[in-house]
Amino acid sequence: MPLAANLRQRLRELAATIEGIDRAVYAQFDKDPLEPIIGLGDAQAPLAFFGRDPGREEVRHGEPFVGAGGQLVRGGLHRHLYGTELPDFAASLAVGRPFFWANTVPYKPLGNRAWSMAVKRRFHPLMRELLIESWQGRDIVTLGREAFLWFGIDQPREERRRLEAFWADERRFERSLPVRLADDRGGSREFVLHPLPHPSPRNLAWYGRFAELLEARLQQLGVARPG
């Protein structure tokens, strides 16, 4: 499903006003640094994956979640749905098409640093609109702390504390949390967050357990092969 033209243009206009996009990497792959990297998939997709921000490989291919961490997620999906390991890169793209993919900010930041809270706040209204109006599902697997706590941005203090308390619970990767988002166009919907750790190989505390945690989530959510 293509990104709505109006939303795409507003993302591009906002990206032109911020500092910190890794323009050297975009230039290396002859990519437009203002083009958002969002893998919308099917608007009716029952499940979304929501991460922190795109990386080098995402810029190269113009697709989200295709670097080392993303391949861990896509590989887990392939094992769950087909019982085999990913045979090649094309299969990793194909297995992701029935799902909805997005990040807190759809642009690669300099280095491997997360975007600042100021930048995330500026993009937040547009990314809220994306989730509310471009996708009809409700279950979201968040990948890492930054992605999970993004849902507390511009929320009342009590709601932010509720998310922070949930994240502090040692059983957070087994439990789920409903949240409500509203956009600036009057839309509002409830989603259910199913947090997992960030799948980066640098996340030494959880990387070795990520595959089993993802599989448990997929079973919990009843994810089945399309068709």
Side-chain angles (χ1 to χ4, degrees):
M1 182 185 70
L3 183 63
N6 179 266
L7 179 57
R8 174 176 173 269
Q9 183 59 32
R10 284 181 287 149
L11 283 166
R12 290 179 60 86
E13 290 171 357
L14 179 55
T17 71
I18 67 167
E19 299 291 334
I21 292 177
D22 197 340
R23 291 176 178 271
V25 169
Y26 284 83
Q28 179 182 355
F29 297 120
D30 194 25
K31 299 291 185 176
D32 182 353
L34 301 184
E35 187 63 24
I37 300 172
I38 300 172
L40 297 185
D42 186 347
Q44 305 298 322
L47 182 63
F49 290 90
F50 191 80
R52 197 186 77 178
D53 43 56
R56 179 185 181 84
E57 292 304 303
E58 285 74 15
V59 173
R60 181 202 298 265
H61 297 285
E63 295 272 357
F65 299 87
V66 295
Q71 289 296 317
L72 193 62
V73 177
R74 291 171 181 270
L77 282 171
H78 199 275
R79 283 190 299 274
H80 176 80
L81 295 174
Y82 302 104
T84 60
E85 299 299 318
L86 279 172
D88 51 36
F89 184 76
S92 76
L93 296 181
V95 79
R97 290 194 184 105
F99 302 92
F100 193 94
W101 306 83
N103 286 294
T104 64
V105 176
Y107 297 95
K108 183 190 182 304
L110 287 165
N112 290 310
R113 299 186 298 273
W115 284 105
S116 68
M117 180 57 74
V119 170
K120 285 188 291 188
R121 282 187 186 280
R122 293 186 66 185
F123 279 94
H124 202 264
L126 297 180
M127 299 310 291
R128 287 200 310 264
E129 181 182 325
L130 175 78
L131 288 174
I132 292 169
E133 300 189 12
S134 297
W135 177 53
Q136 302 306 310
R138 67 190 295 264
D139 291 306
I140 302 176
V141 172
T142 60
L143 300 168
R145 182 177 183 275
E146 296 273 349
F148 179 79
L149 293 182
W150 177 91
F151 288 85
I153 293 175
D154 291 340
Q155 297 272 29
R157 179 180 299 178
E158 294 77 12
E159 182 68 356
R160 295 198 305 273
R161 287 177 173 172
R162 187 172 74 100
L163 268 76
E164 289 165 358
F166 187 97
W167 186 261
D169 187 335
E170 63 181 15
R171 296 181 58 240
R172 62 189 176 275
F173 299 138
E174 304 166 23
R175 300 172 56 221
S176 302
L177 184 72
V179 299
R180 178 164 290 275
L181 289 182
D183 64 29
D184 294 343
R185 296 155 64 95
S188 174
R189 284 208 295 126
E190 184 176 85
F191 301 95
V192 181
L193 306 183
H194 310 279
L196 286 178
H198 194 287
S200 169
R202 294 184 178 86
N203 188 0
L204 300 179
W206 291 102
Y207 182 74
R209 291 191 56 200
F210 182 85
E212 68 178 270
L213 292 171
L214 173 60
E215 175 59 22
R217 279 295 192 202
L218 297 175
Q219 290 188 22
Q220 180 188 61
L221 293 165
V223 174
R225 190 185 304 186

